[in-house]
Amino acid sequence: QVQLVESGGGLVQPGGSLRLSCASSGIIINVSAMGWYRRAPGNERELVARIKSSGITDYADSVKGRFTISRVDAENTMYLQMNNMTPEDTAVYYCNTETYYPRETYWGPGTQVTVSS
């Protein structure tokens, strides 16, 4: 069973930066998309950024221009560079991988990100 593990979360001041990493314990084939989601206290889990197998990226409006998603296939790793962070970015961040055959969805356990002075 392939597992995803996030790292890089922590406490950062407003205006600061963090880089999250998502590592896979093995090779996942037939990937259709990889993404980062987050859940803030009292809120539903929401999409932050996604990168399709074609390389096309999508971002939530709230993070456009501040966050960048990337992946290094040779390392089985995905990243989320977060800049100019605000308290509204405080949440548990989850990485996600979806495959098209068979249809599977993998989730990491999440990493806490807190933006506070």
Side-chain angles (χ1 to χ4, degrees):
Q1 179 79 19
V2 174
Q3 294 182 328
L4 304 179
V5 179
E6 305 93 343
S7 61
L11 175 64
V12 62
Q13 293 187 342
S17 298
L18 279 177
R19 189 175 81 152
L20 302 182
S21 300
C22 174
S24 169
S25 63
I27 297 174
I28 303 175
I29 61 172
N30 299 333
V31 174
S32 57
M34 303 174 69
W36 288 96
Y37 291 72
R38 67 186 180 187
R39 177 181 286 154
N43 290 353
E44 298 289 322
R45 185 159 55 187
E46 64 175 359
L47 175 68
V48 176
R50 182 173 57 184
I51 182 166
K52 298 180 181 179
S53 57
S54 62
I56 295 174
T57 56
D58 293 313
Y59 293 93
D61 288 342
S62 59
V63 307
K64 282 181 181 176
R66 300 188 298 120
F67 291 11
T68 303
I69 187 172
S70 62
R71 69 173 193 247
V72 180
D73 293 338
E75 298 174 357
N76 295 327
T77 303
M78 176 176 63
Y79 301 95
L80 184 68
Q81 178 66 43
M82 305 184 291
N83 298 328
N84 193 22
M85 299 181 72
T86 72
E88 288 69 37
D89 295 320
T90 295
V92 178
Y93 284 70
Y94 302 87
C95 67
N96 160 285
T97 297
E98 298 173 0
T99 63
Y100 58 85
Y101 186 79
R103 280 187 174 269
E104 298 278 1
T105 301
Y106 300 91
W107 291 96
T111 185
Q112 176 69 47
V113 171
T114 302
V115 185
S116 175
S117 56

